[in-house]
């Protein structure tokens, strides 16, 4: 869209007004057009690093976010500023990746709670929380399974699954 001249269609009315006041829309379009190749390259390299970092728990990705912020800070005042990558595509990337990690942690906590409630043994290492990098806190009693420590801020509810003898005694359908 950028290459075809549709930069403004990617901006909100507020952003258009803001950029018009700051640098002027023609100047903005000129800078973006001039740097479109280096902007795209910067974005693709940043995404490669972010995708590779996703293999690690969220806390271990922090250095990637810091490096990205640093790189963008250095480039902001230079000739090859990746405007599209910085202002449109990578906006709040750390926050969005944290939200994804919270969602993944919820899913993993519930999966673990359900496995344990069914009497199955989870795979080795499957109790690691992708948000915190630490093991989930698991409590198994005859009546229930509780998986906690989902969110390192403590705001997330535990995954709670009641244990019913008939359910726990069933063998898994597939292995």
């Amino acid at each position: 869209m950028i290459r075809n001249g549709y930069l403004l269609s990617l901006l909100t009315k507020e952003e258009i007004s803001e950029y018009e006041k700051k640098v002027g829309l023609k100047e903005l379009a000129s800078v973006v057009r001039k740097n479109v190749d280096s902007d795209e390259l910067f974005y693709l390299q940043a995404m490669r690093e972010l995708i590779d970092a996703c293999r690690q728990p969220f806390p271990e990705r922090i250095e990637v976010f810091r490096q990205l912020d640093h790189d963008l800070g250095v480039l902001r005042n230079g000739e090859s500023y990746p405007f599209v990558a910085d202002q449109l595509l990578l906006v709040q990337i750390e926050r969005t990746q944290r939200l994804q990690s919270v969602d993944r942690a919820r899913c993993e906590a519930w999966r673990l709670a359900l496995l344990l409630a069914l009497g199955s043994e989870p795979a080795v290492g499957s109790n690691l929380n992708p948000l915190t990098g630490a093991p989930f806190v698991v409590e198994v009693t005859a009546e229930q399974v509780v998986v906690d420590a989902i969110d390192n801020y403590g705001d997330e509810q535990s995954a709670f699954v009641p244990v019913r003898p008939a359910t726990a005694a069933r063998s898994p359908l597939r292995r």
Side-chain angles (χ1 to χ4, degrees):
M1 291 184 75
I2 301 296
R3 290 182 193 280
N4 291 328
Y6 293 106
L7 171 64
L8 296 183
S9 68
L10 300 174
L11 302 173
T12 65
K13 289 179 184 178
E14 293 81 18
E15 290 169 329
I16 291 171
S17 178
E18 180 183 331
Y19 290 121
E20 189 169 32
K21 289 175 190 171
K22 281 184 179 178
V23 294
L25 295 180
K26 286 187 180 187
E27 177 64 22
L28 177 64
S30 173
V31 168
V32 169
R33 191 171 24 260
K34 183 176 82 172
N35 292 325
V36 71
D37 290 332
S38 60
D39 197 325
E40 180 179 30
L41 179 61
F42 180 88
Y43 173 72
L44 292 173
Q45 289 172 334
M47 286 308 297
R48 172 52 42 216
E49 290 176 23
L50 289 166
I51 290 167
D52 288 345
C54 285
R55 291 182 177 91
Q56 302 300 320
F58 182 78
E60 294 178 31
R61 300 182 218 166
I62 299 299
E63 185 53 39
V64 174
F65 301 131
R66 297 299 164 261
Q67 185 62 50
L68 180 59
D69 287 343
H70 174 266
D71 294 348
L72 286 168
V74 168
L75 293 170
R76 277 191 188 108
N77 297 319
E79 287 292 315
S80 60
Y81 172 53
F83 173 85
V84 176
D86 186 25
Q87 299 296 315
L88 300 176
L89 303 175
L90 296 172
V91 176
Q92 297 183 359
I93 192 71
E94 182 176 350
R95 182 176 172 272
T96 29
Q97 286 221 350
R98 186 182 189 290
L99 287 172
Q100 290 172 338
S101 294
V102 169
D103 188 51
R104 177 70 186 268
R106 287 179 190 132
C107 292
E108 293 295 325
W110 279 100
R111 181 191 60 75
L112 181 60
L114 290 167
L115 273 173
L116 293 170
L118 289 170
S120 297
E121 278 297 314
V124 174
S126 67
N127 69 333
L128 284 182
N129 183 332
L131 176 63
T132 65
F136 288 110
V137 174
V138 178
E139 179 186 338
V140 180
T141 66
E143 296 82 33
Q144 66 186 12
V145 174
V146 178
V147 177
D148 207 350
I150 296 171
D151 187 339
N152 50 1
Y153 293 111
D155 297 335
E156 193 66 36
Q157 286 189 320
S158 304
F160 167 83
V161 178
V163 174
R164 295 187 175 93
T167 305
R170 284 190 208 154
S171 62
L173 298 175
R174 296 183 187 170
R175 291 222 177 228

